[in-house]
Amino acid sequence: MNYFDQLSKAMETVAQHPRAVFMGQAVEYPGTAMFNTLKNVPKEKKLELPVAEDMQMGMAIGMSLNGELPICIYPRINFLLLAINQLVLHLDKLPLYSDWKPKVIIRTAIATDKPMNPGHQHLGDYTLGLRYMLSTVRIRKLINPGDIVRTYQQAMEDDSSYLIVENMAYYGMT
Amino acid sequence: MMLQSVNSLQTEWTVEKLQEFERDIADVFNAGKIRAPVHLSGGNEQQLIDIFKNVGKNDWVFTTWRSHYHCLLKGVPPHELKYDIVSGKSITLNYPKYRILSSAIVGGILPIALGVAWSIKRHCIKEHVWVFVGDMTARTGIFNECGRYALGHDLPVTIVVEDNGLSVCTPTLDVWDEKENETIYVEDYEYYEYDLKSHWPHAGAGKRVQF
């Protein structure tokens, strides 16, 4: 299976969790490449949200505190920057300043400039900057197709939150 | 966003007892025994006592950096709360056991509360979420987004706007160039006004403390 198919398989694997919720824009409605990796996720496990990135991340935190397993999806890492408040100051820091232990799996992607170049605002890899800001959230970059399902399984089983970054340039890679 | 008629958790709390707790904390702070910021409450005792008559034991309370009263009224034992405040946690008091979550970031609690409320509704649980924010927060983008989502989806959450007219020392209405609450639709939320300034400053207890 290629990179893209492995992503689809990983989503099916996570969807088996009884309280998994796939949330974000373009999870129930088409519009991004990621949407096609969610086709086999049951509809009742999807939550299409308005474009409100920081609200989305905060909601994921709250849902996890009540027992859900949110898979919080940002189609591009550029859009995740709009959720830095909830990501860095709440999801990452709550376990440090309190006994609350939120657990969220964040899925995002680095865009590619081929075959179309979306320009500076939609390109770029901000993973290193996020590594400097995050203390408790674990970061994983998906490079090898064979690691994708295992990475999501680890994210499901671990107590920590995970930020999992895929690269759209690899979607066709086997 | 309906108010629940549930029960009072701490009917023994009175205005005088709440004030007495804060005066005790102020004395400890002024004695230089708390090496962290402290935000004291004052002037809103009766309003909060009345609101908490509707807060159930299994309800969730989301609050801010000024949360001593909220914690007491939700059921945190005073000695436990005082210990945590003296330990330096006044601005981020959190008690999973009592379902209290606070954040020292403006508006930070709002979407988290929304997520809890969404989950409660999804599973048809008879619990309610209460969110306490100030008048400046009530004019932020995140407040607008979360209020709109909660109303649209009829989530079991009540947002309480606690209006003391100030954000730190900045007059809220002046900086938004408002004469009164023109830009927040207070009928959609619980709302009360109070006067903190004549009781305590924004931070500390009124004395310059040297460590």
Side-chain angles (χ1 to χ4, degrees), chain A residues 19 21 44 49 52 55 58-59 62-63 65-66 68 85-86 90 97-98 100, chain B residues 60 94 96 100-103 105 108 111-112 115-116 118-119 122-123 145:
Chain A
R19 295 187 72 175
V21 181
E44 66 272 16
L49 284 175
M55 184 184 89
M59 283 184 72
M63 289 158 66
L65 296 180
N66 204 39
E68 316 291 352
N85 163 44
Q86 286 297 332
H90 293 88
Y97 76 74
S98 78
W100 291 109
Chain B
W60 298 66
N94 281 271
I100 297 171
L101 189 150
S102 80
S103 167
I105 301 296
I112 303 175
V116 171
W118 183 90
S119 180
R122 183 190 203 198
H123 298 287
E145 290 173 2

PDB file of all heavy atoms in Angstrom, chain A residues 19 21 44 49 52 55 58-59 62-63 65-66 68 85-86 90 97-98 100, chain B residues 60 94 96 100-103 105 108 111-112 115-116 118-119 122-123 145:
ATOM      1  N   ARG A  19     -14.858   5.466  21.263  1.00  0.00           N
ATOM      2  CA  ARG A  19     -15.221   6.878  21.444  1.00  0.00           C
ATOM      3  C   ARG A  19     -14.363   7.805  20.575  1.00  0.00           C
ATOM      4  O   ARG A  19     -14.149   8.968  20.919  1.00  0.00           O
ATOM      5  CB  ARG A  19     -15.155   7.252  22.922  1.00  0.00           C
ATOM      6  CG  ARG A  19     -16.205   6.486  23.727  1.00  0.00           C
ATOM      7  CD  ARG A  19     -16.311   6.927  25.154  1.00  0.00           C
ATOM      8  NE  ARG A  19     -16.936   8.239  25.285  1.00  0.00           N
ATOM      9  CZ  ARG A  19     -17.227   8.800  26.452  1.00  0.00           C
ATOM     10  NH1 ARG A  19     -16.965   8.158  27.573  1.00  0.00           N
ATOM     11  NH2 ARG A  19     -17.779  10.001  26.510  1.00  0.00           N
ATOM     12  N   VAL A  21     -13.610  10.383  17.755  1.00  0.00           N
ATOM     13  CA  VAL A  21     -14.352  11.427  17.046  1.00  0.00           C
ATOM     14  C   VAL A  21     -13.380  12.133  16.104  1.00  0.00           C
ATOM     15  O   VAL A  21     -12.384  12.706  16.563  1.00  0.00           O
ATOM     16  CB  VAL A  21     -14.968  12.461  18.014  1.00  0.00           C
ATOM     17  CG1 VAL A  21     -15.751  13.513  17.231  1.00  0.00           C
ATOM     18  CG2 VAL A  21     -15.852  11.797  19.060  1.00  0.00           C
ATOM     19  N   GLU A  44     -21.145   8.534  11.959  1.00  0.00           N
ATOM     20  CA  GLU A  44     -21.457   8.975  13.326  1.00  0.00           C
ATOM     21  C   GLU A  44     -20.204   9.291  14.134  1.00  0.00           C
ATOM     22  O   GLU A  44     -20.298   9.833  15.237  1.00  0.00           O
ATOM     23  CB  GLU A  44     -22.309   7.926  14.051  1.00  0.00           C
ATOM     24  CG  GLU A  44     -21.614   6.600  14.323  1.00  0.00           C
ATOM     25  CD  GLU A  44     -21.760   5.612  13.161  1.00  0.00           C
ATOM     26  OE1 GLU A  44     -22.124   6.039  12.054  1.00  0.00           O
ATOM     27  OE2 GLU A  44     -21.498   4.411  13.381  1.00  0.00           O
ATOM     28  N   LEU A  49     -16.869  20.778  11.592  1.00  0.00           N
ATOM     29  CA  LEU A  49     -16.880  21.987  12.421  1.00  0.00           C
ATOM     30  C   LEU A  49     -16.776  23.244  11.575  1.00  0.00           C
ATOM     31  O   LEU A  49     -16.279  23.201  10.446  1.00  0.00           O
ATOM     32  CB  LEU A  49     -15.697  21.950  13.398  1.00  0.00           C
ATOM     33  CG  LEU A  49     -15.835  21.013  14.602  1.00  0.00           C
ATOM     34  CD1 LEU A  49     -14.552  20.998  15.412  1.00  0.00           C
ATOM     35  CD2 LEU A  49     -17.006  21.431  15.482  1.00  0.00           C
ATOM     36  N   ALA A  52     -12.831  27.512  12.824  1.00  0.00           N
ATOM     37  CA  ALA A  52     -12.550  28.196  14.092  1.00  0.00           C
ATOM     38  C   ALA A  52     -11.461  27.341  14.768  1.00  0.00           C
ATOM     39  O   ALA A  52     -11.740  26.547  15.659  1.00  0.00           O
ATOM     40  CB  ALA A  52     -13.809  28.287  14.946  1.00  0.00           C
ATOM     41  N   MET A  55     -10.927  27.280  18.610  1.00  0.00           N
ATOM     42  CA  MET A  55     -12.124  26.683  19.224  1.00  0.00           C
ATOM     43  C   MET A  55     -12.113  25.177  19.018  1.00  0.00           C
ATOM     44  O   MET A  55     -12.419  24.404  19.933  1.00  0.00           O
ATOM     45  CB  MET A  55     -13.394  27.292  18.626  1.00  0.00           C
ATOM     46  CG  MET A  55     -14.678  26.789  19.272  1.00  0.00           C
ATOM     47  SD  MET A  55     -16.182  27.413  18.476  1.00  0.00           S
ATOM     48  CE  MET A  55     -16.460  26.156  17.235  1.00  0.00           C
ATOM     49  N   GLY A  58      -9.662  23.555  21.408  1.00  0.00           N
ATOM     50  CA  GLY A  58     -10.206  23.594  22.770  1.00  0.00           C
ATOM     51  C   GLY A  58     -11.333  22.599  22.941  1.00  0.00           C
ATOM     52  O   GLY A  58     -11.425  21.905  23.966  1.00  0.00           O
ATOM     53  N   MET A  59     -12.208  22.509  21.946  1.00  0.00           N
ATOM     54  CA  MET A  59     -13.292  21.517  22.012  1.00  0.00           C
ATOM     55  C   MET A  59     -12.731  20.104  22.126  1.00  0.00           C
ATOM     56  O   MET A  59     -13.240  19.282  22.888  1.00  0.00           O
ATOM     57  CB  MET A  59     -14.186  21.620  20.773  1.00  0.00           C
ATOM     58  CG  MET A  59     -15.151  22.785  20.789  1.00  0.00           C
ATOM     59  SD  MET A  59     -16.249  22.777  19.339  1.00  0.00           S
ATOM     60  CE  MET A  59     -17.319  21.379  19.718  1.00  0.00           C
ATOM     61  N   GLY A  62     -11.723  19.499  25.663  1.00  0.00           N
ATOM     62  CA  GLY A  62     -12.880  19.270  26.524  1.00  0.00           C
ATOM     63  C   GLY A  62     -13.522  17.920  26.274  1.00  0.00           C
ATOM     64  O   GLY A  62     -13.896  17.204  27.216  1.00  0.00           O
ATOM     65  N   MET A  63     -13.633  17.537  25.023  1.00  0.00           N
ATOM     66  CA  MET A  63     -14.222  16.224  24.700  1.00  0.00           C
ATOM     67  C   MET A  63     -13.392  15.108  25.314  1.00  0.00           C
ATOM     68  O   MET A  63     -13.926  14.131  25.849  1.00  0.00           O
ATOM     69  CB  MET A  63     -14.314  16.073  23.181  1.00  0.00           C
ATOM     70  CG  MET A  63     -15.376  16.971  22.561  1.00  0.00           C
ATOM     71  SD  MET A  63     -15.130  17.308  20.797  1.00  0.00           S
ATOM     72  CE  MET A  63     -15.372  15.699  20.108  1.00  0.00           C
ATOM     73  N   LEU A  65     -11.600  15.248  27.973  1.00  0.00           N
ATOM     74  CA  LEU A  65     -11.760  15.224  29.433  1.00  0.00           C
ATOM     75  C   LEU A  65     -13.014  14.458  29.836  1.00  0.00           C
ATOM     76  O   LEU A  65     -13.128  13.982  30.966  1.00  0.00           O
ATOM     77  CB  LEU A  65     -11.814  16.657  29.992  1.00  0.00           C
ATOM     78  CG  LEU A  65     -10.547  17.483  29.809  1.00  0.00           C
ATOM     79  CD1 LEU A  65     -10.731  18.878  30.403  1.00  0.00           C
ATOM     80  CD2 LEU A  65      -9.341  16.804  30.448  1.00  0.00           C
ATOM     81  N   ASN A  66     -13.948  14.341  28.913  1.00  0.00           N
ATOM     82  CA  ASN A  66     -15.172  13.570  29.208  1.00  0.00           C
ATOM     83  C   ASN A  66     -15.121  12.177  28.571  1.00  0.00           C
ATOM     84  O   ASN A  66     -16.154  11.515  28.450  1.00  0.00           O
ATOM     85  CB  ASN A  66     -16.412  14.331  28.743  1.00  0.00           C
ATOM     86  CG  ASN A  66     -17.662  13.899  29.507  1.00  0.00           C
ATOM     87  OD1 ASN A  66     -17.618  13.658  30.717  1.00  0.00           O
ATOM     88  ND2 ASN A  66     -18.795  13.774  28.807  1.00  0.00           N
ATOM     89  N   GLU A  68     -13.896  11.117  25.396  1.00  0.00           N
ATOM     90  CA  GLU A  68     -13.816  10.886  23.949  1.00  0.00           C
ATOM     91  C   GLU A  68     -12.341  10.758  23.529  1.00  0.00           C
ATOM     92  O   GLU A  68     -11.444  11.203  24.254  1.00  0.00           O
ATOM     93  CB  GLU A  68     -14.448  12.051  23.167  1.00  0.00           C
ATOM     94  CG  GLU A  68     -15.773  12.569  23.680  1.00  0.00           C
ATOM     95  CD  GLU A  68     -16.939  11.604  23.509  1.00  0.00           C
ATOM     96  OE1 GLU A  68     -16.770  10.557  22.855  1.00  0.00           O
ATOM     97  OE2 GLU A  68     -18.019  11.883  24.050  1.00  0.00           O
ATOM     98  N   ASN A  85      -2.807  28.812  20.758  1.00  0.00           N
ATOM     99  CA  ASN A  85      -3.210  29.068  22.151  1.00  0.00           C
ATOM    100  C   ASN A  85      -3.664  27.787  22.827  1.00  0.00           C
ATOM    101  O   ASN A  85      -3.141  27.400  23.873  1.00  0.00           O
ATOM    102  CB  ASN A  85      -4.320  30.125  22.175  1.00  0.00           C
ATOM    103  CG  ASN A  85      -5.063  30.156  23.495  1.00  0.00           C
ATOM    104  OD1 ASN A  85      -4.456  30.098  24.561  1.00  0.00           O
ATOM    105  ND2 ASN A  85      -6.384  30.219  23.442  1.00  0.00           N
ATOM    106  N   GLN A  86      -4.621  27.111  22.230  1.00  0.00           N
ATOM    107  CA  GLN A  86      -5.134  25.894  22.868  1.00  0.00           C
ATOM    108  C   GLN A  86      -4.121  24.755  22.805  1.00  0.00           C
ATOM    109  O   GLN A  86      -4.053  23.943  23.728  1.00  0.00           O
ATOM    110  CB  GLN A  86      -6.459  25.469  22.217  1.00  0.00           C
ATOM    111  CG  GLN A  86      -7.647  26.352  22.607  1.00  0.00           C
ATOM    112  CD  GLN A  86      -7.974  26.293  24.098  1.00  0.00           C
ATOM    113  OE1 GLN A  86      -7.728  25.311  24.774  1.00  0.00           O
ATOM    114  NE2 GLN A  86      -8.533  27.378  24.619  1.00  0.00           N
ATOM    115  N   HIS A  90      -2.756  25.163  26.578  1.00  0.00           N
ATOM    116  CA  HIS A  90      -3.766  24.360  27.270  1.00  0.00           C
ATOM    117  C   HIS A  90      -3.504  22.862  27.115  1.00  0.00           C
ATOM    118  O   HIS A  90      -3.200  22.192  28.086  1.00  0.00           O
ATOM    119  CB  HIS A  90      -5.171  24.762  26.794  1.00  0.00           C
ATOM    120  CG  HIS A  90      -5.534  26.152  27.221  1.00  0.00           C
ATOM    121  ND1 HIS A  90      -5.228  27.264  26.478  1.00  0.00           N
ATOM    122  CD2 HIS A  90      -6.139  26.613  28.342  1.00  0.00           C
ATOM    123  CE1 HIS A  90      -5.628  28.356  27.119  1.00  0.00           C
ATOM    124  NE2 HIS A  90      -6.185  27.992  28.256  1.00  0.00           N
ATOM    125  N   TYR A  97       0.315  21.907  34.893  1.00  0.00           N
ATOM    126  CA  TYR A  97      -0.153  22.759  35.986  1.00  0.00           C
ATOM    127  C   TYR A  97      -1.401  22.222  36.690  1.00  0.00           C
ATOM    128  O   TYR A  97      -1.928  22.885  37.599  1.00  0.00           O
ATOM    129  CB  TYR A  97      -0.342  24.210  35.521  1.00  0.00           C
ATOM    130  CG  TYR A  97      -1.567  24.561  34.691  1.00  0.00           C
ATOM    131  CD1 TYR A  97      -2.834  24.648  35.259  1.00  0.00           C
ATOM    132  CD2 TYR A  97      -1.441  24.874  33.342  1.00  0.00           C
ATOM    133  CE1 TYR A  97      -3.946  25.010  34.512  1.00  0.00           C
ATOM    134  CE2 TYR A  97      -2.536  25.239  32.585  1.00  0.00           C
ATOM    135  CZ  TYR A  97      -3.789  25.302  33.175  1.00  0.00           C
ATOM    136  OH  TYR A  97      -4.889  25.665  32.435  1.00  0.00           O
ATOM    137  N   SER A  98      -1.839  21.020  36.319  1.00  0.00           N
ATOM    138  CA  SER A  98      -3.040  20.485  36.965  1.00  0.00           C
ATOM    139  C   SER A  98      -3.029  18.964  36.899  1.00  0.00           C
ATOM    140  O   SER A  98      -2.132  18.359  36.312  1.00  0.00           O
ATOM    141  CB  SER A  98      -4.294  21.007  36.263  1.00  0.00           C
ATOM    142  OG  SER A  98      -4.525  20.303  35.055  1.00  0.00           O
ATOM    143  N   TRP A 100      -5.524  17.451  35.411  1.00  0.00           N
ATOM    144  CA  TRP A 100      -6.261  17.108  34.197  1.00  0.00           C
ATOM    145  C   TRP A 100      -5.287  16.494  33.193  1.00  0.00           C
ATOM    146  O   TRP A 100      -4.169  16.993  33.038  1.00  0.00           O
ATOM    147  CB  TRP A 100      -6.903  18.353  33.584  1.00  0.00           C
ATOM    148  CG  TRP A 100      -8.025  18.933  34.376  1.00  0.00           C
ATOM    149  CD1 TRP A 100      -8.008  20.110  35.078  1.00  0.00           C
ATOM    150  CD2 TRP A 100      -9.345  18.389  34.533  1.00  0.00           C
ATOM    151  NE1 TRP A 100      -9.230  20.320  35.670  1.00  0.00           N
ATOM    152  CE2 TRP A 100     -10.073  19.287  35.363  1.00  0.00           C
ATOM    153  CE3 TRP A 100      -9.975  17.248  34.066  1.00  0.00           C
ATOM    154  CZ2 TRP A 100     -11.397  19.056  35.716  1.00  0.00           C
ATOM    155  CZ3 TRP A 100     -11.297  17.018  34.425  1.00  0.00           C
ATOM    156  CH2 TRP A 100     -11.993  17.921  35.236  1.00  0.00           C
TER     157      TRP A 100
ATOM    158  N   TRP B  60     -20.033  20.689  35.679  1.00  0.00           N
ATOM    159  CA  TRP B  60     -18.654  21.134  35.441  1.00  0.00           C
ATOM    160  C   TRP B  60     -18.589  22.655  35.600  1.00  0.00           C
ATOM    161  O   TRP B  60     -19.490  23.364  35.139  1.00  0.00           O
ATOM    162  CB  TRP B  60     -18.209  20.780  34.036  1.00  0.00           C
ATOM    163  CG  TRP B  60     -18.170  19.312  33.719  1.00  0.00           C
ATOM    164  CD1 TRP B  60     -19.252  18.460  33.655  1.00  0.00           C
ATOM    165  CD2 TRP B  60     -17.023  18.524  33.411  1.00  0.00           C
ATOM    166  NE1 TRP B  60     -18.825  17.195  33.318  1.00  0.00           N
ATOM    167  CE2 TRP B  60     -17.465  17.203  33.157  1.00  0.00           C
ATOM    168  CE3 TRP B  60     -15.656  18.802  33.311  1.00  0.00           C
ATOM    169  CZ2 TRP B  60     -16.595  16.169  32.810  1.00  0.00           C
ATOM    170  CZ3 TRP B  60     -14.786  17.779  32.966  1.00  0.00           C
ATOM    171  CH2 TRP B  60     -15.256  16.481  32.730  1.00  0.00           C
ATOM    172  N   ASN B  94      -7.234  23.963  39.804  1.00  0.00           N
ATOM    173  CA  ASN B  94      -7.898  22.905  39.036  1.00  0.00           C
ATOM    174  C   ASN B  94      -8.165  21.704  39.935  1.00  0.00           C
ATOM    175  O   ASN B  94      -7.271  21.248  40.655  1.00  0.00           O
ATOM    176  CB  ASN B  94      -6.998  22.470  37.877  1.00  0.00           C
ATOM    177  CG  ASN B  94      -7.065  23.448  36.730  1.00  0.00           C
ATOM    178  OD1 ASN B  94      -7.914  23.322  35.848  1.00  0.00           O
ATOM    179  ND2 ASN B  94      -6.194  24.435  36.749  1.00  0.00           N
ATOM    180  N   PRO B  96     -10.020  18.127  39.235  1.00  0.00           N
ATOM    181  CA  PRO B  96     -10.825  17.132  38.514  1.00  0.00           C
ATOM    182  C   PRO B  96     -11.876  16.478  39.406  1.00  0.00           C
ATOM    183  O   PRO B  96     -12.984  16.203  38.940  1.00  0.00           O
ATOM    184  CB  PRO B  96      -9.771  16.127  38.037  1.00  0.00           C
ATOM    185  CG  PRO B  96      -8.506  16.914  37.926  1.00  0.00           C
ATOM    186  CD  PRO B  96      -8.568  17.927  39.033  1.00  0.00           C
ATOM    187  N   ILE B 100     -13.675  21.073  38.302  1.00  0.00           N
ATOM    188  CA  ILE B 100     -13.334  22.484  38.137  1.00  0.00           C
ATOM    189  C   ILE B 100     -12.085  22.567  37.272  1.00  0.00           C
ATOM    190  O   ILE B 100     -11.086  21.908  37.562  1.00  0.00           O
ATOM    191  CB  ILE B 100     -13.052  23.151  39.498  1.00  0.00           C
ATOM    192  CG1 ILE B 100     -14.295  23.122  40.386  1.00  0.00           C
ATOM    193  CG2 ILE B 100     -12.560  24.590  39.307  1.00  0.00           C
ATOM    194  CD1 ILE B 100     -14.037  23.559  41.816  1.00  0.00           C
ATOM    195  N   LEU B 101     -12.169  23.380  36.223  1.00  0.00           N
ATOM    196  CA  LEU B 101     -10.996  23.628  35.378  1.00  0.00           C
ATOM    197  C   LEU B 101     -10.838  25.125  35.215  1.00  0.00           C
ATOM    198  O   LEU B 101     -11.788  25.823  34.881  1.00  0.00           O
ATOM    199  CB  LEU B 101     -11.140  22.959  34.011  1.00  0.00           C
ATOM    200  CG  LEU B 101      -9.888  22.966  33.118  1.00  0.00           C
ATOM    201  CD1 LEU B 101      -9.865  21.729  32.201  1.00  0.00           C
ATOM    202  CD2 LEU B 101      -9.764  24.223  32.264  1.00  0.00           C
ATOM    203  N   SER B 102      -9.643  25.612  35.481  1.00  0.00           N
ATOM    204  CA  SER B 102      -9.408  27.044  35.266  1.00  0.00           C
ATOM    205  C   SER B 102      -8.182  27.242  34.390  1.00  0.00           C
ATOM    206  O   SER B 102      -7.315  26.370  34.285  1.00  0.00           O
ATOM    207  CB  SER B 102      -9.230  27.776  36.596  1.00  0.00           C
ATOM    208  OG  SER B 102      -7.933  27.599  37.103  1.00  0.00           O
ATOM    209  N   SER B 103      -8.144  28.410  33.773  1.00  0.00           N
ATOM    210  CA  SER B 103      -7.013  28.794  32.931  1.00  0.00           C
ATOM    211  C   SER B 103      -6.713  30.258  33.200  1.00  0.00           C
ATOM    212  O   SER B 103      -7.627  31.057  33.432  1.00  0.00           O
ATOM    213  CB  SER B 103      -7.364  28.601  31.453  1.00  0.00           C
ATOM    214  OG  SER B 103      -6.409  29.245  30.631  1.00  0.00           O
ATOM    215  N   ILE B 105      -5.414  32.136  30.950  1.00  0.00           N
ATOM    216  CA  ILE B 105      -5.394  32.760  29.627  1.00  0.00           C
ATOM    217  C   ILE B 105      -6.809  33.223  29.289  1.00  0.00           C
ATOM    218  O   ILE B 105      -7.777  32.450  29.396  1.00  0.00           O
ATOM    219  CB  ILE B 105      -4.916  31.748  28.562  1.00  0.00           C
ATOM    220  CG1 ILE B 105      -3.509  31.230  28.910  1.00  0.00           C
ATOM    221  CG2 ILE B 105      -4.941  32.376  27.176  1.00  0.00           C
ATOM    222  CD1 ILE B 105      -2.410  32.261  28.903  1.00  0.00           C
ATOM    223  N   GLY B 108      -9.537  31.126  27.508  1.00  0.00           N
ATOM    224  CA  GLY B 108      -8.998  29.784  27.295  1.00  0.00           C
ATOM    225  C   GLY B 108      -9.956  28.664  27.650  1.00  0.00           C
ATOM    226  O   GLY B 108      -9.931  27.586  27.058  1.00  0.00           O
ATOM    227  N   PRO B 111     -13.666  27.208  24.819  1.00  0.00           N
ATOM    228  CA  PRO B 111     -13.843  26.056  23.916  1.00  0.00           C
ATOM    229  C   PRO B 111     -13.695  24.723  24.626  1.00  0.00           C
ATOM    230  O   PRO B 111     -14.283  23.722  24.185  1.00  0.00           O
ATOM    231  CB  PRO B 111     -12.749  26.263  22.863  1.00  0.00           C
ATOM    232  CG  PRO B 111     -11.729  27.117  23.515  1.00  0.00           C
ATOM    233  CD  PRO B 111     -12.473  27.998  24.484  1.00  0.00           C
ATOM    234  N   ILE B 112     -12.935  24.688  25.705  1.00  0.00           N
ATOM    235  CA  ILE B 112     -12.795  23.426  26.454  1.00  0.00           C
ATOM    236  C   ILE B 112     -14.142  23.067  27.080  1.00  0.00           C
ATOM    237  O   ILE B 112     -14.593  21.913  27.021  1.00  0.00           O
ATOM    238  CB  ILE B 112     -11.684  23.548  27.520  1.00  0.00           C
ATOM    239  CG1 ILE B 112     -10.356  23.941  26.866  1.00  0.00           C
ATOM    240  CG2 ILE B 112     -11.529  22.242  28.286  1.00  0.00           C
ATOM    241  CD1 ILE B 112      -9.218  24.205  27.845  1.00  0.00           C
ATOM    242  N   GLY B 115     -16.406  21.668  24.472  1.00  0.00           N
ATOM    243  CA  GLY B 115     -16.143  20.265  24.163  1.00  0.00           C
ATOM    244  C   GLY B 115     -16.762  19.326  25.189  1.00  0.00           C
ATOM    245  O   GLY B 115     -17.324  18.279  24.829  1.00  0.00           O
ATOM    246  N   VAL B 116     -16.670  19.692  26.456  1.00  0.00           N
ATOM    247  CA  VAL B 116     -17.306  18.881  27.490  1.00  0.00           C
ATOM    248  C   VAL B 116     -18.822  18.862  27.271  1.00  0.00           C
ATOM    249  O   VAL B 116     -19.466  17.804  27.324  1.00  0.00           O
ATOM    250  CB  VAL B 116     -16.964  19.411  28.906  1.00  0.00           C
ATOM    251  CG1 VAL B 116     -17.798  18.695  29.955  1.00  0.00           C
ATOM    252  CG2 VAL B 116     -15.476  19.234  29.202  1.00  0.00           C
ATOM    253  N   TRP B 118     -20.469  19.333  24.535  1.00  0.00           N
ATOM    254  CA  TRP B 118     -20.781  18.526  23.329  1.00  0.00           C
ATOM    255  C   TRP B 118     -20.835  17.052  23.688  1.00  0.00           C
ATOM    256  O   TRP B 118     -21.751  16.327  23.282  1.00  0.00           O
ATOM    257  CB  TRP B 118     -19.726  18.788  22.252  1.00  0.00           C
ATOM    258  CG  TRP B 118     -19.995  18.059  20.967  1.00  0.00           C
ATOM    259  CD1 TRP B 118     -20.711  18.502  19.901  1.00  0.00           C
ATOM    260  CD2 TRP B 118     -19.560  16.722  20.640  1.00  0.00           C
ATOM    261  NE1 TRP B 118     -20.748  17.532  18.924  1.00  0.00           N
ATOM    262  CE2 TRP B 118     -20.054  16.435  19.346  1.00  0.00           C
ATOM    263  CE3 TRP B 118     -18.805  15.761  21.307  1.00  0.00           C
ATOM    264  CZ2 TRP B 118     -19.808  15.215  18.714  1.00  0.00           C
ATOM    265  CZ3 TRP B 118     -18.572  14.540  20.668  1.00  0.00           C
ATOM    266  CH2 TRP B 118     -19.068  14.283  19.394  1.00  0.00           C
ATOM    267  N   SER B 119     -19.853  16.617  24.466  1.00  0.00           N
ATOM    268  CA  SER B 119     -19.778  15.202  24.854  1.00  0.00           C
ATOM    269  C   SER B 119     -20.942  14.814  25.762  1.00  0.00           C
ATOM    270  O   SER B 119     -21.504  13.726  25.633  1.00  0.00           O
ATOM    271  CB  SER B 119     -18.437  14.941  25.553  1.00  0.00           C
ATOM    272  OG  SER B 119     -18.322  13.600  25.940  1.00  0.00           O
ATOM    273  N   ARG B 122     -23.924  14.433  23.579  1.00  0.00           N
ATOM    274  CA  ARG B 122     -23.806  13.245  22.732  1.00  0.00           C
ATOM    275  C   ARG B 122     -24.259  11.990  23.470  1.00  0.00           C
ATOM    276  O   ARG B 122     -24.872  11.101  22.882  1.00  0.00           O
ATOM    277  CB  ARG B 122     -22.357  13.081  22.273  1.00  0.00           C
ATOM    278  CG  ARG B 122     -22.152  11.919  21.329  1.00  0.00           C
ATOM    279  CD  ARG B 122     -20.691  11.646  21.092  1.00  0.00           C
ATOM    280  NE  ARG B 122     -20.474  10.950  19.829  1.00  0.00           N
ATOM    281  CZ  ARG B 122     -19.379  10.284  19.522  1.00  0.00           C
ATOM    282  NH1 ARG B 122     -18.381  10.244  20.363  1.00  0.00           N
ATOM    283  NH2 ARG B 122     -19.257   9.677  18.356  1.00  0.00           N
ATOM    284  N   HIS B 123     -23.932  11.939  24.752  1.00  0.00           N
ATOM    285  CA  HIS B 123     -24.242  10.733  25.522  1.00  0.00           C
ATOM    286  C   HIS B 123     -25.494  10.894  26.385  1.00  0.00           C
ATOM    287  O   HIS B 123     -25.765  10.043  27.237  1.00  0.00           O
ATOM    288  CB  HIS B 123     -23.038  10.354  26.384  1.00  0.00           C
ATOM    289  CG  HIS B 123     -21.815  10.032  25.564  1.00  0.00           C
ATOM    290  ND1 HIS B 123     -21.699   8.867  24.838  1.00  0.00           N
ATOM    291  CD2 HIS B 123     -20.690  10.744  25.311  1.00  0.00           C
ATOM    292  CE1 HIS B 123     -20.540   8.874  24.178  1.00  0.00           C
ATOM    293  NE2 HIS B 123     -19.914  10.000  24.452  1.00  0.00           N
ATOM    294  N   GLU B 145     -17.403  33.012  19.068  1.00  0.00           N
ATOM    295  CA  GLU B 145     -17.464  31.702  18.401  1.00  0.00           C
ATOM    296  C   GLU B 145     -18.124  30.657  19.297  1.00  0.00           C
ATOM    297  O   GLU B 145     -19.017  29.912  18.861  1.00  0.00           O
ATOM    298  CB  GLU B 145     -16.051  31.233  18.029  1.00  0.00           C
ATOM    299  CG  GLU B 145     -15.397  32.035  16.913  1.00  0.00           C
ATOM    300  CD  GLU B 145     -13.941  31.647  16.698  1.00  0.00           C
ATOM    301  OE1 GLU B 145     -13.452  30.731  17.385  1.00  0.00           O
ATOM    302  OE2 GLU B 145     -13.286  32.281  15.855  1.00  0.00           O
TER     303      GLU B 145
END
